[in-house]
Amino acid sequence: RREAINKHCKGLGGPKPARKLLAAAPEVRLGTRDRCTGGEVAAPETMDGQPVYNASDGEETSLLPQQQRRGRRLRPAVGAAVACVAAFGAVAVVTNARATELRRVNAPEIASSSGSSARAISSSSTPTIVISLLDDQGYADVPWHAQDAATQAAMPFADALRKDTGGIDVENYHAWRDCTPSRAMLLTGRHHAQLGMHVPLLGGATAAVPTDEVLIGELLEKARPGAYHKAMVGKWDLGAASPKYIPTARGFDGFTGFYNAMIDYFDWTIDGTVSDIAGTVVDAQRNAGPAPQAAGRYTTRFLRDAALGEVAAAKATGKALFLYAAWNAIHYDVAIPDAHALGRPVYAKALELGLTETRATALGALRIVDAANEWIYSRLDRDNTIWIQTSDNGGDPNQGASNYPLRGGKVSGWQGGFQVPCFVWLGANLRGSLKEYAGLVYVTDWVPTIIGGALGAPEALPADLYGQDLWESLRGNSAKAREDILLMASYGTGDEAGEALVSLRTDRYKVTIGQAPCAVGTPAGAYAGCDCSSDRTTVWVSDLVKDPSEGTNLNCGDALPADVRADLAERLARSWDAHVEPAQRQCYDDALAAAFIQANCTYNEVQYYCPFLDEDVEDIPRYEAVPGSARFNWLARAPDVCLRDADAAAFDPTCVQEEATVLLSLVPEEWEDYCHPGDAA
């Protein structure tokens, strides 16, 4: 997909009209100069006035009860040989399969900015809320779905928290199939088709979540004015071309992380995008300016310390904490420090079991994130906390993730792209009686569940959310349940099913339209790919209760009962007409971004990614209309020629699904007119 977009962008050519750049300057607040002088950056006591906490002087440790260790813990040392781990006696964490009692205190308290001991927030009406979002974590990348001992050892804290009295296993949780739309839905409660967002945003993108959308930070303020310190650490990925698009302009009081889709795990450079600036520009951000303190810091460690600083900031101000921790692990190209006391033993175990090096590295990275989450949890008021942990989309089986036994993976329309691990943990003051919730849950449901349910402020919610309030259902106090989920809804300009990418599921059946067959990865993580030669007009219907791997197409012959066919067709049409709005046009200007960054966002010869358009620039326009559901031949009848067995397809490991990009790409002659109207950019 990256290559396709890159080819498209480079093929535009021709002269471009003069554009008004964002004036470099004070309003962008690209950081204080005294932090970026003298060639080296001294670690400040505060990040823009907020406390920084460095857990255990930079060491990764586990707070879980465990067997006695011998030898000293190792600090990460990039470039050290793996053999050093064994030489210095690093010992793998032993995970007890039984439910583990979670410790409340195991390390020095975080000091507030004044130096006094911070008190835990305790308010029965204003709970602490943490959303811990992993990146590209697959269905089988957690201990409770693990297929091997290395995966079982990768996340002991998450497993203990899920098994604890307040833990709730959300068995049928679904995200979107790719990062940007999924994150947009998580923070707005609106469907990706309502937002007009169908594809990820890469470096140089001028699009963003539309500014008329209200994000969760703003909704929290509306529900409980002044009650929350609203913080984010990690991956934003929702647009940063203008200062009005960045997190601190969208409801967050504090932000430490990166704006774009992917960065290097050690040097924070933009990685793998279509941009001319890829690999040379650092995307390390603090609020509205750069974070030079991140230089050379392993991303998970730096984000962990920033998160602990936000916990301390909330306590210092006497406010409840809302923390959105959007980790970059295990997005490709995943990496871990060479001598990591927790990550390396898991990595070594995976190699011993015959897993690939990429999968071993991904599991090691998960162990490090798990330890970071444990540190954050150790600083919270556990009686009054809501902890939500999940992934933004299915895992990429070509990059070390496993979705077994689900078909496909990230960017595909199969369950491996949508269904991801998820659990909720509720403090003693908030929990109900439920330990497992089997009903359907979609990524859009968190906003109304938190704002309308947990905080009891449904009046603060927009009227047209796709998400549903499942707060009482998750606690076992209500029988309310979702009837279906419109998993994806992207469209082209034609009349046939092949011109749309659509998927809908009920509690039993799932319809998938416009998606080529993909393989089921093996328990060890091997993946045969997809079949790009298949006819994309195929309408696939699966019985997920009997066939969770989506191996048999019930839409062939008379296998699908007539009443089920009619019901699914009606649900598809109703959902499409109710929720699909015009799509945003894909717009990039990496050349403009590169020129602005070089001229205005370079400090000590380091270029930092920064907003490069005016604050008053208009949002990217949308297409003018949406084709009605009647234009698509959905489930009208069983086709004469039908692919019945998904595993009979000719899978190709190099096949990359690019349907959404093809369906929604601009043709070259449209680029300038739609992406840069007049002189607005």
Side-chain angles (χ1 to χ4, degrees):
R1 178 170 57 197
R2 296 197 303 272
E3 291 175 355
I5 297 175
N6 190 36
K7 180 179 179 181
H8 172 67
C9 292
K10 290 185 180 299
L12 297 177
K16 297 187 177 183
R19 298 166 189 149
K20 184 174 63 175
L21 297 181
L22 175 70
E27 68 266 24
V28 183
R29 296 187 317 183
L30 291 170
T32 54
R33 297 278 179 172
D34 58 346
R35 292 191 194 172
C36 305
T37 56
E40 294 186 1
V41 179
E45 290 298 323
T46 62
M47 282 179 160
D48 290 354
Q50 303 212 13
V52 178
Y53 182 70
N54 201 334
S56 190
D57 192 27
E59 292 185 23
E60 298 285 357
T61 60
S62 176
L63 309 181
L64 292 170
Q66 55 198 270
Q67 292 183 354
Q68 182 68 33
R69 294 174 181 239
R70 63 182 178 84
R72 63 179 184 177
R73 298 188 183 97
L74 300 180
R75 298 182 181 180
V78 179
V82 177
C84 291
V85 178
F88 282 91
V91 179
V93 175
V94 178
T95 306
N96 193 325
R98 297 189 300 272
T100 305
E101 181 181 358
L102 300 171
R103 284 187 175 180
R104 288 180 175 270
V105 179
N106 193 294
E109 283 292 334
I110 304 172
S112 69
S113 56
S114 64
S116 61
S117 179
R119 295 188 304 273
I121 300 168
S122 180
S123 169
S124 59
S125 62
T126 307
T128 296
I129 303 170
V130 176
I131 300 177
S132 178
L133 186 72
L134 284 90
D135 199 342
D136 293 0
Q137 183 185 35
Y139 182 80
D141 291 334
V142 289
W144 51 99
H145 295 155
Q147 303 298 310
D148 58 78
T151 307
Q152 289 174 346
M155 304 190 79
F157 169 70
D159 199 30
L161 198 60
R162 184 186 66 91
K163 292 176 179 177
D164 188 66
T165 305
I168 306 166
D169 192 358
V170 185
E171 299 173 355
N172 270 315
Y173 180 75
H174 294 70
W176 203 66
R177 63 179 194 154
D178 212 342
C179 45
T180 302
S182 184
R183 293 162 189 269
M185 290 192 284
L186 171 69
L187 296 185
T188 64
R190 298 241 289 160
H191 200 280
H192 83 92
Q194 293 176 300
L195 298 169
M197 303 184 74
H198 302 260
V199 293
L201 298 179
L202 307 179
T206 55
V209 175
T211 52
D212 58 357
E213 299 292 346
V214 184
L215 274 62
I216 192 170
E218 299 164 286
L219 293 172
L220 285 166
E221 187 63 27
K222 185 176 180 182
R224 297 287 172 86
Y228 276 100
H229 174 68
K230 305 173 294 295
M232 176 187 171
V233 298
K235 174 176 172 176
W236 176 236
D237 198 30
L238 298 179
S242 166
K244 69 179 181 179
Y245 294 144
I246 65 175
T248 50
R250 305 302 297 265
F252 288 98
D253 301 315
F255 167 66
T256 303
F258 54 102
Y259 291 146
N260 289 289
M262 42 196 158
I263 58 173
D264 182 89
Y265 279 67
F266 292 98
D267 62 24
W268 294 69
T269 53
I270 298 174
D271 189 24
T273 72
V274 301
S275 176
D276 293 339
I277 58 180
T280 62
V281 171
V282 174
D283 191 4
Q285 315 292 339
R286 172 61 186 168
N287 291 337
Q293 305 94 330
R297 295 285 306 279
Y298 183 63
T299 50
T300 302
R301 165 171 287 128
F302 189 77
L303 296 175
R304 174 208 65 187
D305 291 350
L308 292 171
E310 299 292 1
V311 174
K315 292 181 179 181
T317 57
K319 294 184 177 183
L321 173 70
F322 173 77
L323 176 64
Y324 172 40
W327 309 102
N328 65 319
I330 53 174
H331 197 288
Y332 57 87
D333 292 322
V334 65
I336 61 174
D338 283 344
H340 197 283
L342 295 181
R344 278 289 154 178
V346 173
Y347 169 86
K349 179 65 174 178
L351 293 181
E352 290 174 5
L353 295 173
L355 304 184
T356 66
E357 184 172 0
T358 303
R359 175 132 184 85
T361 304
L363 294 176
L366 286 175
R367 183 65 189 91
I368 300 171
V369 171
D370 191 62
N373 274 328
E374 188 180 352
W375 272 104
I376 296 169
Y377 174 87
S378 74
R379 294 294 172 258
L380 305 178
D381 169 18
R382 261 69 51 82
D383 288 336
N384 200 41
T385 288
I386 300 170
W387 183 287
I388 300 167
Q389 186 163 323
T390 186
S391 177
D392 64 337
N393 46 248
D396 187 338
N398 291 311
Q399 301 292 337
S402 174
N403 304 300
Y404 185 84
L406 306 181
R407 187 170 300 277
K410 178 180 179 177
V411 314
S412 83
W414 302 101
Q415 283 297 96
F418 293 121
Q419 190 168 354
V420 295
C422 176
F423 73 88
V424 176
W425 184 88
L426 301 177
N429 294 340
L430 302 166
R431 63 187 56 152
S433 59
L434 207 62
K435 284 295 297 175
E436 296 178 352
Y437 181 70
L440 298 178
V441 181
Y442 198 36
V443 62
T444 54
D445 296 337
W446 296 124
V447 163
T449 295
I450 291 171
I451 303 297
L455 298 185
E459 69 282 356
L461 294 169
D464 56 351
L465 295 186
Y466 184 75
Q468 296 185 19
D469 173 8
L470 300 176
W471 174 247
E472 294 300 340
S473 299
L474 289 170
R475 298 201 300 160
N477 299 329
S478 172
K480 177 183 177 181
R482 267 192 170 276
E483 294 184 358
D484 54 43
I485 301 175
L486 182 63
L487 292 169
M488 66 175 177
S490 300
Y491 59 89
T493 58
D495 295 337
E496 301 301 321
E499 298 299 330
L501 277 166
V502 189
S503 185
L504 177 141
R505 75 155 294 177
T506 65
D507 58 353
R508 179 170 182 176
Y509 294 101
K510 178 185 173 186
V511 182
T512 302
I513 301 174
Q515 170 66 56
C518 294
V520 175
T522 69
Y527 185 59
C530 299
D531 182 0
C532 287
S533 67
S534 295
D535 185 355
R536 286 186 48 247
T537 64
T538 299
V539 179
W540 197 276
V541 180
S542 303
D543 183 339
L544 294 178
V545 174
K546 295 182 178 180
D547 182 22
S549 296
E550 302 173 277
T552 301
N553 187 0
L554 299 180
N555 195 44
C556 297
D558 59 358
L560 188 65
D563 60 333
V564 174
R565 180 185 300 279
D567 177 65
L568 292 174
E570 189 276 331
R571 289 177 186 273
L572 274 171
R574 173 165 40 85
S575 295
W576 181 277
D577 291 336
H579 303 298
V580 180
E581 299 180 19
Q584 283 188 348
R585 296 178 179 272
Q586 290 189 73
C587 294
Y588 283 81
D589 201 330
D590 46 282
L592 178 65
F596 184 85
I597 289 168
Q598 185 175 13
N600 301 284
C601 304
T602 301
Y603 304 100
N604 292 333
E605 300 182 352
V606 176
Q607 299 178 16
Y608 288 88
Y609 198 91
C610 62
F612 54 90
L613 299 181
D614 284 324
E615 188 156 7
D616 59 355
V617 68
E618 296 180 3
D619 289 346
I620 291 301
R622 299 190 182 203
Y623 286 85
E624 296 179 358
V626 175
S629 62
R631 295 186 61 187
F632 299 103
N633 183 25
W634 291 340
L635 289 170
R637 62 178 179 83
D640 297 327
V641 179
C642 187
L643 178 64
R644 183 185 297 273
D645 182 2
D647 292 321
F651 298 130
D652 180 356
T654 65
C655 169
V656 178
Q657 297 295 309
E658 300 177 358
E659 302 97 331
T661 300
V662 173
L663 289 174
L664 296 169
S665 289
L666 293 167
V667 295
E669 56 268 23
E670 292 180 312
W671 189 271
E672 295 295 347
D673 292 339
Y674 286 104
C675 293
H676 304 294
D679 197 34

